[in-house]
Amino acid sequence: MTDSEIDRPLPTEDDVEIAHPAESALDDVPPGHRSGFVAVIGRPNVGKSTLINQILGQKIAIVSPRPQTTRVRQLGILTTDEAQIVFVDTPGLHKPRHELGRFMVETAQQALVDADVILLIVEAHLPPGPGDIMIARQLRDAASEAPIVLAINKIDLTPPDKLQAHVDAYLALVSPVDWVAISALHGAGVDDLRKRLIALLPEGPRYYPPDQVTETYTRNIAAEMIREQVLLNTHDEVPHAVAVEINEFKERENNVIYVAATIYVERDSQKSIIIGKGGQMLKRIGAAARREIEGLTESKVFLELWVKVLPNWRQGEALLKRLGYRIR
């Protein structure tokens, strides 16, 4: 396997199949087959990535307790006999404070325009707050006629005596065509949600081969898995200032995949936190990230990490483009 062969969307085994899928794989669908794009939106940290991972049955999007974990648009593709749903996992809608934040909000807003269905996720244990009100206003202003489905998440955290009042408040806020109470983490209600989304999709062909689950390349998912471990292991001072760049991603002897990556931060103090005393924090991050990447690639992984300071990278368009955030 060459470097280019492992750097591909998962899980298809043949790069040619992705670039030029066989017509039979895309066209051989039953009558009434439904397909389309579902934009997954909501405030930061409401469970968008967790839900997509749960529906797909595998991890393609990183998850952490930190707000704004998702930074770029990511596709999750679910193919069944009756339908193909392309989930567009978007960054959380929020008030941007820097160029990276503006990029994230633009990414989410563009997904609304292109969607066949909009899936709005909110938190059942909380009543609507300022962020939910802002999103409801953006939905009303968006140039989209896509139906809205409301997923009321985290029912496992919600006192039963408060659930109905919160549900009523969210329904009044956005007037969806349908709604489902779910636990994205534990799977409760997720199958019901999937069926309701399929029912709202237009009839159409498959857009992707049936075994493809994402458009994101393996090396990019690996970079996100490293960033995820930084988010999970470091203090509040660090997470939003972190970016990861894959410098090398290739197979060596004995089917071991070598990954070299640089973790960028904006200040020397953040670099010190990530490295930790005697390098212990960086070792912990690297060990956890390596296990995740091994699960992703189903191969042994040798991971090398460096930490470098790149001052104010979130403010500069050129730096954002270099790190994979394409500003229109």
Side-chain angles (χ1 to χ4, degrees):
M1 185 183 293
T2 67
D3 184 11
S4 61
E5 285 175 329
I6 56 175
D7 186 17
R8 59 172 180 250
L10 296 180
T12 309
E13 294 297 328
D14 187 347
D15 275 347
V16 176
E17 231 176 279
I18 296 173
H20 306 286
E23 290 186 7
S24 60
L26 299 181
D27 298 338
D28 187 16
V29 296
H33 182 272
R34 296 179 180 274
S35 61
F37 291 78
V38 175
V40 185
I41 67 167
R43 289 185 295 103
N45 208 35
V46 295
K48 298 182 294 294
S49 297
T50 300
L51 176 60
I52 290 177
N53 290 341
Q54 180 72 245
I55 290 175
L56 296 181
Q58 61 181 284
K59 185 173 183 176
I60 66 160
I62 70 169
V63 177
S64 89
R66 311 291 187 182
Q68 300 168 30
T69 298
T70 300
R71 286 178 173 171
V72 295
R73 189 192 80 157
Q74 188 168 36
L75 299 188
I77 306 161
L78 177 69
T79 302
T80 69
D81 290 340
E82 61 178 337
Q84 185 173 82
I85 313 176
V86 183
F87 292 96
V88 184
D89 183 16
T90 65
L93 287 166
H94 63 283
K95 186 175 181 178
R97 298 179 180 178
H98 41 64
E99 196 68 24
L100 174 61
R102 283 189 285 275
F103 162 80
M104 292 162 64
V105 170
E106 286 179 9
T107 297
Q109 290 173 335
Q110 184 59 44
L112 297 179
V113 176
D114 298 334
D116 295 293
V117 178
I118 295 170
L119 176 59
L120 172 61
I121 303 179
V122 299
E123 295 179 292
H125 63 294
L126 298 173
D132 300 296
I133 294 170
M134 178 196 72
I135 291 172
R137 183 170 61 249
Q138 289 180 329
L139 286 173
R140 288 192 293 269
D141 295 342
S144 173
E145 298 181 358
I148 299 171
V149 175
L150 182 65
I152 302 178
N153 190 25
K154 304 185 181 180
I155 56 172
D156 50 308
L157 302 179
T158 309
D161 60 326
K162 293 186 177 181
L163 178 59
Q164 192 57 54
H166 292 175
V167 169
D168 292 342
Y170 283 114
L171 292 176
L173 189 64
V174 294
S175 302
V177 300
D178 204 349
W179 69 275
V180 184
I182 66 168
S183 170
L185 182 61
H186 300 292
V190 171
D191 190 54
D192 186 25
L193 173 62
R194 176 185 60 82
K195 293 176 182 177
R196 298 187 190 209
L197 291 172
I198 289 175
L200 289 169
L201 293 176
E203 292 190 8
R206 288 180 183 143
Y207 297 109
Y208 297 91
D211 58 351
Q212 187 172 339
V213 295
T214 184
E215 271 194 335
T216 307
Y217 282 91
T218 310
R219 66 189 295 137
N220 296 335
I221 298 178
E224 286 291 88
M225 286 178 166
I226 296 167
R227 186 167 69 89
E228 177 182 42
Q229 293 306 319
V230 176
L231 298 181
L232 292 173
N233 284 282
T234 59
H235 302 294
D236 291 338
E237 178 186 358
V238 175
H240 298 311
V242 168
V244 176
E245 183 177 37
I246 300 294
N247 309 114
E248 205 169 343
F249 190 95
K250 64 183 180 182
E251 186 171 357
R252 290 182 168 177
E253 295 179 359
N254 301 320
N255 297 318
V256 174
I257 294 177
Y258 172 71
V259 182
T262 301
I263 301 171
Y264 290 107
V265 292
E266 292 185 319
R267 299 194 298 272
D268 287 327
S269 60
Q270 296 164 343
K271 177 179 178 179
S272 297
I273 290 171
I274 290 177
I275 293 174
K277 186 177 180 179
Q280 289 304 305
M281 177 59 75
L282 188 60
K283 289 179 182 177
R284 185 190 308 170
I285 290 168
R290 176 182 53 77
R291 289 191 294 269
E292 292 286 332
I293 299 170
E294 286 179 339
L296 173 74
T297 60
E298 298 182 347
S299 300
K300 283 287 186 182
V301 169
F302 183 83
L303 174 63
E304 285 193 302
L305 296 177
W306 290 267
V307 185
K308 295 184 180 181
V309 176
L310 198 60
N312 300 317
W313 69 263
R314 289 178 293 174
Q315 301 289 357
E317 184 172 330
L319 288 175
L320 288 170
K321 286 183 177 179
R322 168 182 162 183
L323 294 172
Y325 305 107
R326 291 182 174 83
I327 308 295
R328 286 197 303 262

